[in-house]
Amino acid sequence: MYTLNCNGTLIDLNTPRVMGIINVTPDSFYDGGKWTSLEAIEAQARIMVSQGASFLDVGGYSSRPGANEVPVDEEMDRVLPVVASLYKSFPHIPISIDTFRSRVAKAAVAEGAAMVNDISGGLLDEEMLSVVADLQVPYIMMHMRGTPQNMTSKTQYENVTQEVLSFFAERISLAREAGINDLVVDPGFGFAKTAEQSFELLRHLELFDVLDLPYLVGVSRKSMIYKTLGSTPGEALNGTTALHSVALLKGASVLRVHDVKEAVECVTLIEKLRGTS
């Protein structure tokens, strides 16, 4: 049974959980610039919590392909007031800080964040693993090559699933050596991966069981869905739900989503199908 210790509360992952995305960036691929005030952000968070979100993931640096570089102080200016506000309004909901910078992670945890979600698995900031260990919060490590600015040029793999698993074997070992207790892995769908490679990862997702850790799946409204269907991010909810069902059947513990209600319904139905609810 997998659990995460978030600010002293054990979160049971036996039943899959849903993480709501709170982007406070002007340029995210789907909802960039949608919520521009603390009041609007808090209203969106309240909807997500009422719909069943177990976590809220706050990010101030768009990681879409080709996204602009964001100075660290600007990232902190974007996320810290949001984390503080959400922690005050929803003290029972663990807040995740979506950052690859240890300075941002440390400051966000001081404002109430309960976990760190790092798209680089610690590769873009050599201090990240030691800082997370000192903070004693759960750490979500994602697989990516390069940076958001150049990752689309780094999609050469012999066997994408095996190479991602090898990456995690190495990074998990380093995280354990640093002293991180609670780990979650994220295969990084769409990050330095073509649509075909992302589908290959999803096809073999159950192989991640070998890591003996919970895994998070983030496919919500991504290009692997809407480009395959010839649509847009705004039209990709149905496709997202289809792939969420596959991910859950293959053992995903957390779904990171823009649309909480539909994801929670998906969890409910898959759990019924399994006979566990």
Side-chain angles (χ1 to χ4, degrees):
M1 180 180 76
Y2 298 125
T3 60
L4 297 178
N5 186 342
C6 296
N7 286 337
T9 299
L10 281 183
I11 307 296
D12 179 7
L13 299 182
N14 249 7
T15 299
R17 302 284 182 157
V18 172
M19 173 180 282
I21 299 169
I22 303 287
N23 280 326
V24 288
T25 55
D27 56 346
S28 292
F29 79 96
Y30 170 60
D31 54 4
K34 199 169 183 180
W35 302 294
T36 56
S37 69
L38 281 178
E39 291 77 16
I41 291 165
E42 190 164 317
Q44 173 63 11
R46 193 170 302 282
I47 292 170
M48 288 181 163
V49 171
S50 71
Q51 292 175 341
S54 295
F55 310 100
L56 296 173
D57 190 45
V58 177
Y61 187 123
S62 174
S63 54
R64 65 175 176 79
N68 294 326
E69 173 74 14
V70 179
V72 63
D73 289 339
E74 183 176 346
E75 183 183 357
M76 292 174 74
D77 287 344
R78 290 176 179 179
V79 299
L80 296 185
V82 173
V83 170
S85 176
L86 295 181
Y87 177 66
K88 181 179 179 181
S89 297
F90 311 102
H92 61 296
I93 300 293
I95 299 164
S96 164
I97 180 64
D98 179 1
T99 186
F100 57 82
R101 290 163 164 160
S102 59
R103 272 186 62 199
V104 179
K106 187 174 183 178
V109 170
E111 294 291 349
M115 58 201 307
V116 176
N117 181 11
D118 179 1
I119 61 170
S120 79
L123 289 180
L124 293 180
D125 184 339
E126 62 183 15
E127 300 296 322
M128 181 62 94
L129 296 183
S130 62
V131 166
V132 172
D134 288 343
L135 294 171
Q136 283 297 290
V137 295
Y139 182 56
I140 302 168
M141 58 165 57
M142 195 188 81
H143 174 273
M144 180 180 71
R145 289 175 169 177
T147 68
Q149 289 74 35
N150 64 19
M151 64 183 175
T152 56
S153 67
K154 300 180 180 296
T155 59
Q156 295 77 34
Y157 300 89
E158 291 292 325
N159 182 315
V160 65
T161 303
Q162 289 302 322
E163 290 177 53
V164 172
L165 283 170
S166 294
F167 165 89
F168 281 128
E170 177 183 350
R171 301 307 296 174
I172 290 165
S173 177
L174 291 172
R176 295 297 192 207
E177 288 176 17
I180 298 175
N181 295 320
D182 288 357
L183 286 166
V184 179
V185 298
D186 175 354
F189 294 97
F191 285 80
K193 300 168 191 75
T194 65
E196 291 76 12
Q197 290 162 346
S198 290
F199 277 106
E200 179 77 6
L201 273 176
L202 185 59
R203 190 176 302 122
H204 298 295
L205 190 63
E206 68 276 5
L207 296 180
F208 284 79
D209 287 346
V210 72
L211 300 173
D212 195 28
L213 288 172
Y215 38 96
L216 176 150
V217 166
V219 296
S220 182
R221 296 183 180 269
K222 284 189 173 177
S223 62
M224 65 182 289
I225 298 170
Y226 67 80
K227 288 185 178 178
T228 298
L229 299 176
S231 61
T232 65
E235 299 170 310
L237 177 55
N238 186 55
T240 296
T241 300
L243 295 194
H244 279 164
S245 299
V246 174
L248 291 168
L249 287 169
K250 288 179 173 286
S253 293
V254 182
L255 300 177
R256 181 179 179 274
V257 309
H258 298 92
D259 308 278
V260 170
K261 177 177 180 290
E262 291 80 0
V264 169
E265 289 177 348
C266 197
V267 169
T268 300
L269 292 173
I270 296 299
E271 290 297 284
K272 178 64 73 173
L273 178 66
R274 286 173 164 158
T276 55
S277 66

